[in-house]
Amino acid sequence: MKLFFSLLVTTIISTFSQAQQKTIQERLGYAKETKLLIIHADDIGVAHAENSATFKAMQSGVVNSGSIMVPCPWFSEVVAYVKENPKADLGLHLTLTSEWKHYKWGPVTPASAVPGLINKNGFFYSSADSVVMFASPSEVEQEIRNQVKKSIQMGIDPTHLDAHMGTALSSPGFMKAYIKVGKEFNIPVMLGPQLERMFGVKIDSLVTPSMVLIDNIITAMPGDFKNTMKNYYTSVLNGLKPGLNCLLIHVAYDNDEMKAVSIDHPDWGSAWRQEDFDFFTSDACRELLKKNNIVLVTWREIKDKLYRSGQ
Amino acid sequence: MKLFFSLLVTTIISTFSQAQQKTIQERLGYAKETKLLIIHADDIGVAHAENSATFKAMQSGVVNSGSIMVPCPWFSEVVAYVKENPKADLGLHLTLTSEWKHYKWGPVTPASAVPGLINKNGFFYSSADSVVMFASPSEVEQEIRNQVKKSIQMGIDPTHLDAHMGTALSSPGFMKAYIKVGKEFNIPVMLGPQLERMFGVKIDSLVTPSMVLIDNIITAMPGDFKNTMKNYYTSVLNGLKPGLNCLLIHVAYDNDEMKAVSIDHPDWGSAWRQEDFDFFTSDACRELLKKNNIVLVTWREIKDKLYRSGQ
């Protein structure tokens, strides 16, 4: 009997230890050397030009995941798309800012409950810095929770949560709220070691072993745009490392609407987004994925394998 | 002394009586037979396609007035236009509905203060009927007042108030709130005898002698659109009567954005709005105005002559 317990304990410890040591690829059932990639379109819901281009790139290109801005004017168009395409891998791009010059939105929570989230005109602030300065973690938590609730109420089953402009990751208090709400609804939240470098927030103490960490969160910066997006993404795909990679892109058409949305803001602007659309619907991109043995994976697969099963 | 008082009373009565008998043309300083016309573009602020087309039609066409939807996503673009064009004749298109299928907005008042104005998703209802059914006049009054306040706070000096989809005119209680807020800010409100027919609300008891009534409020209906807008407006301009006329139009481009805004709704849709743009920027329209001796007048002129002067 003593031996049985000893064996049992050893087995439990060993299994736990293996789970800790297993790479995320292995936890998902892939070989250790697999280069897993989520090609993830941010900002869905912000504008019709963003929605229509992103849906097109998901249907005829290689974009296989994306996230939705619930407080934005074109959110209802996304709800209609989800009804027609219930298997689409769509999470929520939790939104606490309204960054464009002439096109604005505010919280889904009644303004009186989250005064620290809104400026004098009733809109979100335009920068993450202002949100950190004026909003409390409890206001952020309420607004994040209400965005999740509203999406579910309107028929969306979010496959993951992430943070528009990183705002919900910009302070330890905000990040705790972000992780807490993800746990509450059993939805994976996007987290990865780079976030420490990007936002200066230590994540170690906030992360539990069962949470999925993205090994490499990759996204273009203004300097990459100057050198053409095709060059940047070609280099990214040729240099991809084994592990779970998430490439954050922004897909829209460079048309009148999107030009007006992004007026006076060429970085992350309409031409940038058109280049993202062009690349991720091109044969060149498909060939690069194939040549580099890149395996596309979705947040839905991660959620189904590692969250719903209780692993 | 007795004679003096008698003369004074007679003079007062006579002046008051003359003011009553004077036509609005005469009160504005025009001959009695003048055909005055406001060419008024509704729905400014609803979309970039509406803003850009309307501003173009005001600058290079004959559209000389318009009204702004404060709660809509592109309101901030209108604020920027007003800063550049402070003399533009722009009032507020008081908005209590969100009628398009995939593109939504809600009140500027905190939702908790006006629960009767919002549906289960936090947006305005899509029809005036629902607003009448669920909202109280005091909620309507608060929201109207806050739209006026917000516009002023953001740098707009509204030349008049009118009612998007007639919602603020759809019940006696709503109409009282509409007139009350207009008086409070000393801004003319659009009112006219047709409103009784259109909305079934008696206005006689609500109107004071100093208020300006529009003799003819004219606007295209779905049957007119089927017969082409050019035919309709040609007929309107050829048949215009002396008095103060207000022609309500809707100006936008028939582009991707506006097609998506007005999806599944050809009436008042993007093609309709493009035809309005085309007609009111055409030489044919200018010639009709000239041929019919139509004098264009703005709400700003009405406000300056009859409201600011205290007449």
Side-chain angles (χ1 to χ4, degrees), chain A residues 112-151:
Chain A
S112 48
V114 288
L117 278 174
I118 55 176
N119 69 13
K120 66 181 167 54
N121 297 321
F123 306 124
F124 281 133
Y125 291 101
S126 56
S127 73
D129 280 357
S130 297
V131 185
V132 173
M133 187 173 292
F134 296 115
S136 66
S138 80
E139 288 172 309
V140 167
E141 183 180 323
Q142 276 187 79
E143 175 63 15
I144 287 177
R145 181 177 293 109
N146 286 334
Q147 291 183 16
V148 176
K149 279 186 172 174
K150 182 166 181 175
S151 75

Side-chain angles (χ1 to χ4, degrees), chain A residues 48 70 72-78 80 101-104 110-112 120-123 150 153-154 253 255-257 260-262, chain B residues 48 70 72-78 80 101-104 110-112 120-123 150 153-154 253 255-257 260-262:
Chain A
H48 174 66
V70 175
C72 286
W74 285 93
F75 171 60
S76 295
E77 189 177 48
V78 186
K101 191 171 176 182
H102 294 155
Y103 180 63
K104 294 287 170 190
S112 48
K120 66 181 167 54
N121 297 321
F123 306 124
K150 182 166 181 175
Q153 180 190 317
M154 290 183 73
Y253 296 124
N255 63 11
D256 281 353
E257 180 197 14
V261 167
S262 60
Chain B
H48 175 65
V70 176
C72 286
W74 285 93
F75 170 60
S76 295
E77 190 177 48
V78 186
K101 193 171 176 183
H102 293 155
Y103 181 62
K104 294 287 171 190
S112 49
K120 65 181 168 58
N121 297 321
F123 305 124
K150 183 168 181 174
Q153 181 190 317
M154 288 183 73
Y253 295 124
N255 62 12
D256 281 352
E257 180 197 13
V261 167
S262 60

